[in-house]
Amino acid sequence: MVGFRARRGRRAACLALLVSVGMPAVPGFAQEMNVLQAPAGMEPVHAPALPAGSGQADGPRSIVPPGYGATTPASGLSSPDMQAVSPAVPSQLFPTGRQSSEPAVRVLSAVPGGERSDIEIGTLSGVDTSSVGLVGLRDGGFGPTMWQGASRADIETYLVRMPVATGSPVMNDLAQRLLLTGARPPEGAGRGVPLLAARLNRLLAAGRADEALQLAMAGGAARAPQVAVELARAALAAGDDNRACAALADIPPGNDPERNDMAAFAVKLSAYCQIVAGNPEIANLTLDLAREEGLNDALFFSLAGQAAAGITLRAPEPNTLSIIDAAFYRLAGRDLPDNVAEIAEPALLPGLLRDGELKDEVRLAVAERAARYDLIDGRELATYYKMPRFTDEQMAGLLTSDIPEASPMRRAMIHQAIGAAVAADDRIRLFKLAFATGETAGLYYPTVEALYDELAGMTPSDALRPMAPAATRAFLAIGERSKAAEWLSVMNAAPGLGRDGRELAALMRISGGALAAFDSEGVSAEIIADLRSGERRAQIFAACEAMLLDALGLSPTPAVWEALLDARNALPGDAPSEALLGQLQMAGHKKAIGETVLLTLDVLGLGGPGAAHPRAAAQATASLKAVDLESEARRLALEALLARSFAGRG
């Protein structure tokens, strides 16, 4: 090893050992092993002649140990074209220090001082897979020209930070459709981020591992390293170890797992695949190399050590549970943290729901979080609410129970109590309690869906008038405007609708379910009265209502804008930059549907329409309407105004 520093020399020595013949199957060793398998159809340059009597057939020669790349029958990833290396002619490759003229190609040489020539192996680059998708126009996609008129640099910038799993039904729907739509990539120079990789990353952040895996596989066999990483993460989250380990072939080597996220992931995935393939000794070498290279992840070393050698090392509990962490928990046979429902990456949630080992309370918390992100619907959430078993004493003492009010188990108790309640007063009280606790937990929409059958089974009547505001609000939230109108008519039959009646009528207008033609003068008078009332809640509601009506083309009178100017200090939060709002407005004007949707999500942010500044919500509504997404614009406006309304919450 003359000429190599001790640290690099040890890496090279370990690598030479692992590529020598006679080692067991290793589906992906650390980082350098990724470059030891040339892409299909690629031949080494300057291939040396084989010694006579080597026993090797003519043609391409494997430079990896027998079984590498999951050639064992049990792996399911056999490569019949791979041939075993003769024990008499081991291939030991080392970095040459010479750079290839082609991108994504790693130059390796034989043992320093040896007779074999250099070879160049790697992955082909320059293939744009951005256009692949899973949905078309008929499936709710935005069409193959959705990026027309947009700058690639802008799309890359906003795509990598696109908010997902927001708790807003309309935003979650728009995000999923945008990410899954197959479309021609935008024009112009990019910033080096493959659009497909960014889309896969956002799908995983939204909890949609299955869709991410399908999209990654649709991208073809020539994958950029960033795409390969996201494919591997999606496969792990979906429980597909074979595809996860196969992705290592497209992840380039890296020498700095301490600072480089891709290098760190490659090391962890390599160790995982080695253990899965039944090669714990090789995995231990990978762990040694990772420590030597400065990887600082006590949890990884603890889990990998337990999985590879049965050694239990102390490690702090994680603050977040990544996809690769969860894979090692499973491999090590270690129980997941008690707070897994709160700290797990969203992509892990569907798998956790299928985990029969979870306690009822943990499973229920996972189900609620999955429902918040629209990974399951409210009716499926209802099945989880029915799973826990409570004693008669617990159910009888629901309001005085020692189960915390914010607990998922408390919400399950309320749900079960509604199904068992007979008296009208009890049902009204329990419905209101369910809606209130659900809204506090960010679960209002799933809660309404979960209770839909019970709610729809109640016939609006004078006897149920106390239920009318909550029922009207609930049906509006899920788009059942006709049922909302039935309950609102019960309120209209009684004198003095009060504040609830004022706000619910406004919500009906915004949703598109107005009972009469838009009365600009009458509505404007109500808005002006609220703006001049001095009541902050009324001012916020009225300001948001005025802006959203204008965005939908239902313009209030000019006097409204004068009153709004006087009450402008009542508007909550900080408005987005004028430049961003202007870009969103321009995207709508030029009918750039993909850019409009992407900028809408960016402007609204993780808080969604209900937490965004009214100007942001109004511009997003107007721009969606401008690109003919009328239904989505209405839903967004309704979410924004519903969050500012206190009608039906009492």
Side-chain angles (χ1 to χ4, degrees), residues 12 14 25 31 75 98 110 123 157 163 171 187 194 219 228 231 256-257 288 293 316 327 357 407 580 582 635 637:
C14 290
Q31 294 149 255
S75 70
R98 181 171 67 81
T123 55
T157 296
M171 287 183 66
E187 298 179 355
L231 186 156
D256 193 5
D288 287 344
E293 290 298 333
E357 300 299 320
S407 165
L580 184 56
R635 288 161 52 201

Side-chain angles (χ1 to χ4, degrees), residues 5-18:
R5 293 184 181 274
R7 180 179 178 186
R8 299 300 176 194
R10 184 166 178 242
R11 286 178 64 85
C14 290
L15 179 58
L17 170 65
L18 293 172

Side-chain angles (χ1 to χ4, degrees), residues 39-283:
M42 196 173 183
E43 295 185 2
V45 296
H46 309 303
L50 295 176
S54 65
Q56 296 284 349
D58 293 337
R61 175 167 161 265
S62 170
I63 59 172
V64 295
Y68 175 73
T71 60
T72 57
S75 70
L77 291 174
S78 60
S79 301
D81 294 334
M82 297 292 288
Q83 298 187 36
V85 179
S86 168
V89 193
S91 296
Q92 300 178 354
L93 306 177
F94 294 84
T96 65
R98 181 171 67 81
Q99 297 298 316
S100 168
S101 60
E102 296 293 328
V105 173
R106 175 81 161 179
V107 181
L108 301 179
S109 73
V111 178
E115 297 179 356
R116 297 189 186 88
S117 303
D118 297 346
I119 63 172
E120 293 182 357
I121 55 180
T123 55
L124 299 178
S125 62
V127 179
D128 193 341
T129 58
S130 304
S131 61
V132 300
L134 300 181
V135 298
L137 278 170
R138 294 182 179 180
D139 307 308
F142 298 125
T145 61
M146 74 172 182
W147 296 126
Q148 185 173 344
S151 157
R152 180 162 187 145
D154 284 347
I155 297 306
E156 287 182 6
T157 296
Y158 293 115
L159 192 59
V160 296
R161 74 187 198 196
M162 186 178 81
V164 292
T166 61
S168 161
V170 66
M171 287 183 66
N172 290 341
D173 174 63
L174 288 170
Q176 183 183 7
R177 290 158 62 191
L178 183 80
L179 294 172
L180 294 179
T181 296
R184 291 189 290 275
E187 298 179 355
R191 304 177 188 272
V193 179
L195 291 184
L196 180 56
R199 292 163 65 193
L200 295 173
N201 178 274
R202 294 294 80 199
L203 281 170
L204 289 172
R208 301 190 175 276
D210 288 340
E211 290 95 329
L213 184 56
Q214 292 177 48
L215 186 62
M217 298 305 296
R223 300 186 183 97
Q226 298 98 318
V227 173
V229 169
E230 301 302 340
L231 186 156
R233 295 177 64 233
L236 286 175
D240 192 337
D241 288 345
N242 286 344
R243 282 204 172 101
C245 294
L248 274 168
D250 295 311
I251 303 176
N255 296 323
D256 193 5
E258 181 182 8
R259 298 178 180 85
N260 185 282
D261 290 341
M262 184 181 293
F265 179 79
V267 167
K268 294 177 182 180
L269 181 59
S270 294
Y272 178 83
C273 294
Q274 290 155 8
I275 298 171
V276 167
N279 294 286
E281 297 85 359
I282 308 302

Side-chain angles (χ1 to χ4, degrees), residues 447-488:
T447 298
V448 174
E449 290 179 351
L451 292 171
Y452 180 84
D453 290 340
E454 288 83 357
L455 191 60
M458 300 175 70
T459 302
S461 64
D462 289 343
L464 295 176
R465 186 175 293 119
M467 179 69 184
T472 304
R473 176 189 178 90
F475 280 121
L476 278 172
I478 59 174
E480 295 273 2
R481 292 194 298 268
S482 61
K483 292 185 181 298
E486 292 176 6
W487 283 98
L488 187 57

Side-chain angles (χ1 to χ4, degrees), residues 305-367:
Q306 183 172 348
I311 301 173
T312 303
L313 303 174
R314 296 184 62 181
E317 291 293 321
N319 295 321
T320 59
L321 185 68
S322 71
I323 293 171
I324 191 72
D325 287 339
F328 271 106
Y329 266 98
R330 182 177 64 249
L331 200 59
R334 190 180 299 184
D335 290 339
L336 293 168
D338 291 337
N339 62 341
V340 63
E342 291 78 32
I343 68 173
E345 280 194 57
L348 296 170
L349 297 176
L352 289 172
L353 285 177
R354 298 189 293 268
D355 188 345
E357 300 299 320
L358 294 181
K359 300 176 182 176
D360 281 348
E361 185 168 1
V362 176
R363 185 193 300 275
L364 195 52
V366 171

Side-chain angles (χ1 to χ4, degrees), residues 168-170 444-445 472-481 484 503-513 541 544 548-549 552 609-610 617 621 630-645 649:
S168 161
V170 66
Y444 180 70
Y445 295 95
T472 304
R473 176 189 178 90
F475 280 121
L476 278 172
I478 59 174
E480 295 273 2
R481 292 194 298 268
E503 293 187 1
L504 289 171
L507 291 169
M508 286 289 289
R509 278 191 294 270
I510 288 291
S511 70
F541 182 87
C544 190
L548 292 171
L549 285 173
L552 291 169
T621 298
E630 175 82 24
S631 175
E632 291 80 356
R634 288 277 186 178
R635 288 161 52 201
L636 191 154
L638 179 62
E639 282 190 28
L641 193 58
L642 197 66
R644 271 82 176 187
S645 171
R649 292 191 184 185

Side-chain angles (χ1 to χ4, degrees), residues 361-393:
E361 185 168 1
V362 176
R363 185 193 300 275
L364 195 52
V366 171
E368 285 192 336
R369 192 171 171 216
R372 189 180 301 120
Y373 298 158
D374 292 314
L375 301 177
I376 62 174
D377 61 28
R379 297 198 178 196
E380 189 172 352
L381 175 62
T383 64
Y384 289 96
Y385 278 149
K386 295 173 183 176
M387 287 181 179
R389 293 290 176 260
F390 301 104
T391 65
D392 292 340
E393 290 77 12

